[in-house]
Amino acid sequence: LNEATASTILCPVTSGDTKTFQSFAKYASEKGPGITVPTIGDTYTVGDAKITILGLNAGDDTNDTSIICSLQNGETSFLFSGDAEYPAEQAVLNSDYASLLKSNVYTVGHHGSDTSTSDAFLDAIDPQYGIISCGKNNSYGHPDAAVLTKLKDHGVKILRTDLQGDITCKSDGKTVACEPSKNRDADAMVPGTKAEDKSEADQAAAAPAPVPQSSEYVLNTSTHKFHRPDCRSVAKMKDKNKEVVNESRDQIIAQGYEPCKICQP
């Protein structure tokens, strides 16, 4: 949202306690109309395609609040289920919208976690492609070996961001083609490794660094750079673009800001 505007911003909730969510909500209002909480059955158009909301806020677990939606483009369709786990998946299977689950492309639930992608859910989707978005060497062990096997047994072509970078899918309304940006022939069946399964040396290398202490920085909300308070650029900054924060460097970068090359905060 630092880089783009949006005419519609969907989220299952409108408030949250984390700084990340509060930043998201702030920019949702500055760069768009704010957050919209959809209702099951709502539809939205994207060019010639249509998005239908199939499920959200289906359980007490935060993951099960995830929006589950289908995007239909002509005779092709894509299913997005966020971090939804078995209870949220089952809620859609039990609903009047279960028939819309069948899709050419499935963005595999919860980064390939074993708490998502139930057999019944996968049977209903019957996808050609399964796209797994997960971080390289992530500490959760995503994707899970059982989920990978389940996808393979269903004849799904698996593509993974941790091994193959960005995955681009194109639909002409009749067929879909998905291509990785690298490592086309990567072995997609290699499961993630949980931290406790690694050697002590690997665990030490993967251990998170100590959380940096918060410091005072000055943000330029126009250029999206941040500075030390004594940086000469701060004196030239317009007041309307100036925001003083007391946060860690990593927190500020996570919000989309870049460090000033002059003061190197």
Side-chain angles (χ1 to χ4, degrees), residues 40 54 91-100:
I40 295 173
L54 308 184
V92 179
L93 289 169
N94 295 340
S95 75
D96 294 335
Y97 297 93
S99 62
L100 294 181

Side-chain angles (χ1 to χ4, degrees), residues 17-24 26-27 211-219 226-229 243-257 265:
D17 296 331
T18 66
K19 287 183 178 291
T20 300
F21 190 95
Q22 291 164 6
S23 177
F24 161 65
K26 171 186 174 183
Y27 285 102
V211 177
Q213 297 299 309
S214 297
S215 300
E216 185 174 282
Y217 294 103
V218 180
L219 310 182
F226 68 99
H227 311 259
R228 297 184 186 277
E243 182 178 346
V244 179
V245 298
N246 199 303
E247 297 179 355
S248 73
R249 187 176 188 275
D250 289 345
Q251 287 174 321
I252 296 171
I253 291 174
Q255 295 173 36
Y257 284 86

Side-chain angles (χ1 to χ4, degrees), residues 1-258:
L1 288 173
N2 281 327
E3 304 297 333
T5 57
S7 59
T8 305
I9 300 173
L10 304 179
C11 188
V13 295
T14 57
S15 62
D17 296 331
T18 66
K19 287 183 178 291
T20 300
F21 190 95
Q22 291 164 6
S23 177
F24 161 65
K26 171 186 174 183
Y27 285 102
S29 296
E30 291 185 3
K31 306 301 286 287
I35 294 170
T36 295
V37 177
T39 299
I40 295 173
D42 284 354
T43 60
Y44 302 87
T45 56
V46 181
D48 294 329
K50 180 176 74 171
I51 292 173
T52 304
I53 306 300
L54 308 184
L56 78 161
N57 291 324
D60 295 330
D61 189 277
T62 300
N63 288 337
D64 285 325
T65 68
S66 296
I67 293 174
I68 299 177
C69 64
S70 172
L71 183 148
Q72 303 93 33
N73 181 50
E75 300 171 11
T76 66
S77 59
F78 300 72
L79 185 75
F80 305 90
S81 61
D83 283 340
E85 300 185 346
Y86 291 160
E89 294 176 354
Q90 191 61 45
V92 179
L93 289 169
N94 295 340
S95 75
D96 294 335
Y97 297 93
S99 62
L100 294 181
L101 287 171
K102 185 172 176 59
S103 301
N104 300 83
V105 179
Y106 169 42
T107 57
V108 179
H110 200 179
H111 319 286
S113 166
D114 62 356
T115 59
S116 303
T117 312
S118 68
D119 286 305
F121 197 61
L122 187 55
D123 285 342
I125 303 166
D126 190 25
Q128 176 184 357
Y129 293 97
I131 312 297
I132 300 177
S133 175
C134 61
K136 186 176 182 180
N137 299 323
N138 67 86
S139 61
Y140 299 97
H142 298 153
D144 184 78
V147 174
L148 293 172
T149 299
K150 190 183 301 184
L151 291 166
K152 181 182 179 181
D153 290 347
H154 277 75
V156 179
K157 171 66 174 177
I158 303 170
L159 296 169
R160 291 168 47 172
T161 61
D162 61 330
L163 302 178
Q164 300 171 295
D166 294 337
I167 313 296
T168 302
C169 297
K170 296 183 179 180
S171 163
D172 61 7
K174 293 185 179 295
T175 61
V176 173
C178 295
E179 292 287 342
S181 61
K182 62 181 181 180
N183 302 333
R184 179 192 295 266
D185 298 322
D187 183 4
M189 293 301 295
V190 177
T193 303
K194 294 182 180 179
E196 59 263 30
D197 296 333
K198 298 178 181 179
S199 68
E200 292 185 5
D202 287 341
Q203 290 189 48
V211 177
Q213 297 299 309
S214 297
S215 300
E216 185 174 282
Y217 294 103
V218 180
L219 310 182
N220 187 322
T221 58
S222 176
T223 63
H224 295 103
K225 296 186 184 298
F226 68 99
H227 311 259
R228 297 184 186 277
D230 57 356
C231 178
R232 67 172 183 263
S233 296
V234 172
K236 303 175 183 178
M237 199 181 301
K238 295 181 179 179
D239 287 341
K240 67 177 183 179
N241 297 330
K242 185 186 301 183
E243 182 178 346
V244 179
V245 298
N246 199 303
E247 297 179 355
S248 73
R249 187 176 188 275
D250 289 345
Q251 287 174 321
I252 296 171
I253 291 174
Q255 295 173 36
Y257 284 86
E258 296 179 4

